[in-house]
Amino acid sequence: MIEKPTLKSTLRAWAYIAPMIAIIGVFNIYPILKSLAMSFYSDYNFYQDVVYAYGWDNFIQIFNDSNLFLAIKNTFIFVLGVVPLSIMLSLGIALLLHNVQFLSGFFRSIYFLPFVTSTVAISIVWNWIYHSRYGLMNYFLGLFGVDPINWITDPKYSMLALVIMAIWKGLGFNIILFLVGLNNIDKGYYSAAKVDGASDLQRFTNITVPLLGPTTFLVTVMGVISSFKVFDEVYSLFQGRPGPGNSALTVVYYIYEKFYTEYQYGVAAAAGIVLFLIILVVTLIQMAYNKKFVHY
């Protein structure tokens, strides 16, 4: 029986959620509103927190800066390179772990380790893997007759090196989510399909893929948002530079440079608003796709 809410129970409920609301308000809502306001500071003294003039100057400046468009282009390349491949690899590995129980727990731990490991530590390892003379990557490619590649110092390969490392780092979390989704599928569907003579491929395309729709949607949204915010991997892999010749310059790295290197706080805030709008539009498109094609 559901109790009727009273003033006392309502106040008790608000008391329980008040700390979380305060934390979200201070560390999430306030910074967003402050960044929005700061993006219109055209004349601002950061140290005294005094605004002398407001206007669109910061937005005009970034839209006349070719580096912003390069950063947006590189960010989209990174998102399109990481998210689809990461989902396909994660789903494939999750299916193997789900169907082959031998040492599955051990391999789940192995795949999840990169997700909980420091990005800096991972970047140090991948710097060694990408080493032009002694790295494992060039050694492996050399077995197929491929000449050594300067993964870190050649602008043509720096983004590819970043994408490979990011996919490897994020696989574990996606695999865990897909395993949860696979375990929630009723085995009766597969038994009925087998009775009807459905092949493995038909069971995968007609049962597994549709019923994994909500999980795939969740993984996609989280992957897109986190990929748009990529910074740690760039900073660590290229030792504090946005790749050779800005070849791996991303939007968040652009914001970092404006804020911490050039001390253009208003410009950095304006670039942050642009990134927020890009992520918002992409997420809304994904939500529209979700309503049309994903069934719960």
Side-chain angles (χ1 to χ4, degrees):
M1 181 177 178
I2 301 176
E3 294 183 4
K4 188 176 180 181
T6 61
L7 178 61
K8 183 179 179 182
S9 64
T10 303
L11 289 175
R12 188 187 300 129
W14 277 107
Y16 282 130
I17 63 174
M20 182 54 68
I21 292 177
I23 291 172
I24 292 174
V26 171
F27 295 103
N28 292 81
I29 306 300
Y30 174 74
I32 292 173
L33 296 177
K34 184 66 177 178
S35 296
L36 179 61
M38 189 179 287
S39 65
F40 292 98
Y41 294 174
S42 55
D43 190 1
Y44 175 53
N45 187 322
F46 176 80
Y47 300 101
Q48 298 179 354
D49 194 22
V50 177
V51 183
Y52 299 105
Y54 295 88
W56 294 90
D57 296 10
N58 296 321
F59 290 97
I60 294 172
Q61 181 175 336
I62 62 172
F63 285 122
N64 284 310
D65 186 356
S66 59
N67 276 341
L68 175 68
F69 294 100
L70 174 63
I72 293 174
K73 174 189 165 188
N74 287 340
T75 304
F76 271 97
I77 291 174
F78 180 82
V79 173
L80 294 174
V82 169
V83 177
L85 286 175
S86 179
I87 290 174
M88 287 188 286
L89 285 172
S90 303
L91 178 58
I93 295 171
L95 285 169
L96 286 174
L97 293 175
H98 181 70
N99 294 319
V100 182
Q101 295 298 320
F102 179 68
L103 292 178
S104 62
F106 171 74
F107 282 108
R108 286 180 196 181
S109 302
I110 292 296
Y111 282 116
F112 196 71
L113 274 178
F115 183 75
V116 296
T117 305
S118 162
T119 304
V120 175
I122 289 174
S123 300
I124 292 173
V125 173
W126 278 92
N127 260 289
W128 173 69
I129 293 174
Y130 286 139
H131 196 282
S132 57
R133 294 182 61 187
Y134 310 109
L136 282 177
M137 186 68 83
N138 280 337
Y139 173 78
F140 176 76
L141 293 176
L143 298 177
F144 299 93
V146 179
D147 294 331
I149 295 173
N150 296 317
W151 294 93
I152 304 296
T153 56
D154 190 335
K156 290 189 298 184
Y157 297 101
S158 57
M159 182 56 73
L160 178 60
L162 183 65
V163 167
I164 293 173
M165 189 188 80
I167 290 174
W168 181 81
K169 183 178 183 299
L171 273 182
F173 187 67
N174 293 343
I175 289 171
I176 295 298
L177 291 179
F178 276 124
L179 281 172
V180 173
L182 288 170
N183 287 326
N184 286 333
I185 296 177
D186 191 343
K187 302 295 184 296
Y189 294 122
Y190 294 105
S191 301
K194 283 182 180 177
V195 172
D196 292 337
S199 64
D200 291 341
L201 180 61
Q202 288 173 323
R203 291 198 295 272
F204 174 73
T205 54
N206 296 317
I207 298 176
T208 306
V209 172
L211 293 181
L212 274 182
T215 304
T216 307
F217 173 71
L218 174 65
V219 171
T220 305
V221 170
M222 293 175 63
V224 167
I225 292 176
S226 65
S227 297
F228 268 116
K229 298 189 297 181
V230 62
F231 171 76
D232 298 3
E233 291 84 350
V234 179
Y235 190 90
S236 302
L237 185 63
F238 300 104
Q239 288 90 42
R241 298 178 297 113
N246 282 343
S247 57
L249 177 67
T250 61
V251 177
V252 175
Y253 200 100
Y254 177 88
I255 295 170
Y256 165 79
E257 281 191 330
K258 293 298 176 186
F259 197 97
Y260 289 103
T261 306
E262 302 175 14
Y263 306 112
Q264 299 186 56
Y265 308 111
V267 173
I273 296 301
V274 170
L275 176 62
F276 170 77
L277 292 176
I278 291 173
I279 294 176
L280 178 64
V281 170
V282 173
T283 304
L284 290 176
I285 293 172
Q286 289 180 294
M287 295 292 288
Y289 176 87
N290 173 52
K291 285 183 179 177
K292 192 171 183 180
F293 296 104
V294 179
H295 306 287
Y296 293 90

